[in-house]
Amino acid sequence: MTQDGGPAVQIDTSKPHPARIYDYLLGGKDNYEVDQRAGDQLAAAAPEVWISVRANRAFLHRAVRYVVDNGVRQILDIGTGLPTSPNVHEVAQELADDVRVAYVDNDPIVKAHADALLSRAGTTSIVLADLRDPQSVIDHPEVRRIIDFGRPVALFLVAILHFIRDADEPERIVATLRDALPAGSFLVLSHATGDFADDRSDAEAVYNSATATMNLRSRDRVERFFDGFDLVEPGLTQVPFWRPDTTPPAGSEAIGFYGAVGRKTV
């Protein structure tokens, strides 16, 4: 049994996992040879991936600061990935020490690493759950312990929805989560795209043998995820250009990640 009271989950290290590939590309150490090979193959197919993952991480940090500066004190981060400092709770609690953060991921290795870093008795916790079943995330007792859905919540879906196939209805998933949020809540989302490249089939193929496939989507598809939210300025952009606090790195025009923040007003 896990600490959450559910059945123990077997950790599969025979296939690359998106969270561990991402960790490798960020220069982390919580990955395996199979993830490193996949990361190298991805970089060979899309060389801009090295700056893309860092730009996406920087977008995450800016978005955390934005929602906290706008009064949100609860964050639900789904698809959090391996803990890479500074993580969401570290950035948020540096601004306001009463921010509560619930992390959710479907990789037992992610949960094991996070459990070692987080105090389950405190205001930050990690839950093993699957985004493809959003209601189970909302209803999870550990999520409910941290998050009060009667008050504004910042929902983070950063670099996760492109691992959800169309057959799993990603728009439905986001709508289910949106409907659980009260007015004043925020959606922070980033998503991989092929809009800035002639062909990304080789990059997508890297994930064919991974635990989740890569599903690149166009700008209009990504924008649909914000139905029911008002986009804050500058709207949906490539992640380096969303409220940058430094000059975007060289090559940013080729980065295949859209990002935006939306606010739920009703």
Side-chain angles (χ1 to χ4, degrees):
M1 300 289 284
T2 66
Q3 293 185 58
D4 291 327
V9 180
Q10 182 67 35
I11 295 175
D12 182 3
T13 59
S14 65
K15 295 181 178 181
H17 188 284
R20 300 193 301 263
I21 296 172
Y22 192 75
D23 178 71
Y24 169 66
L25 293 170
L26 280 173
K29 298 179 181 178
D30 296 317
N31 51 74
Y32 297 91
E33 185 177 350
V34 66
D35 307 305
Q36 296 162 17
R37 287 199 303 269
D40 289 340
Q41 291 167 6
L42 182 60
E48 74 279 3
V49 71
W50 297 107
I51 63 168
S52 295
V53 295
R54 287 165 174 77
N56 185 66
R57 191 74 182 171
F59 162 76
L60 169 71
H61 292 161
R62 295 195 303 276
V64 171
R65 290 192 288 270
Y66 178 84
V67 299
V68 174
D69 284 343
N70 279 271
V72 171
R73 293 296 181 267
Q74 302 184 107
I75 295 175
L76 176 58
D77 182 4
I78 305 178
T80 179
L82 287 153
T84 303
S85 187
N87 218 315
V88 168
H89 71 283
E90 294 171 322
V91 176
Q93 291 170 0
E94 192 171 88
L95 296 173
D97 59 12
D98 59 339
V99 176
R100 305 173 69 84
V101 181
Y103 292 113
V104 179
D105 204 279
N106 72 342
D107 183 5
I109 292 180
V110 169
K111 186 175 186 301
H113 280 276
D115 273 337
L117 295 174
L118 303 177
S119 169
R120 295 175 61 82
T123 58
T124 305
S125 190
I126 175 74
V127 169
L128 188 64
D130 197 323
L131 175 60
R132 289 170 295 186
D133 185 2
Q135 194 63 49
S136 72
V137 174
I138 295 165
D139 293 338
H140 196 289
E142 187 66 8
V143 169
R144 290 281 178 171
R145 184 181 73 82
I146 297 291
I147 303 295
D148 174 4
F149 286 97
R151 298 188 296 117
V153 178
L155 169 64
F156 279 67
L157 296 172
V158 173
I160 183 61
L161 284 175
H162 47 245
F163 297 117
I164 303 295
R165 302 172 302 163
D166 284 346
D168 290 319
E169 303 178 286
E171 288 88 356
R172 173 192 59 80
I173 290 170
V174 177
T176 299
L177 294 166
R178 177 201 65 210
D179 291 348
L181 304 177
S185 295
F186 289 89
L187 170 62
V188 176
L189 183 150
S190 69
H191 195 295
T193 182
D195 285 358
F196 305 100
D198 294 332
D199 182 20
R200 276 292 172 258
S201 57
D202 288 347
E204 288 180 294
V206 171
Y207 288 89
N208 288 343
S209 62
T211 59
T213 60
M214 171 69 79
N215 304 273
L216 303 178
R217 294 187 173 97
S218 62
R219 178 189 177 88
D220 65 323
R221 285 293 308 278
V222 176
E223 204 159 34
R224 287 184 213 168
F225 294 128
F226 287 93
D227 286 352
F229 295 91
D230 294 334
L231 288 172
V232 303
E233 290 295 334
L236 185 66
T237 68
Q238 288 164 278
V239 288
F241 306 115
W242 192 88
R243 296 177 176 257
D245 48 15
T246 60
T247 302
S252 289
E253 294 78 9
I255 288 176
F257 266 98
Y258 284 122
V261 175
R263 187 172 186 271
K264 186 176 180 182
T265 56
V266 294

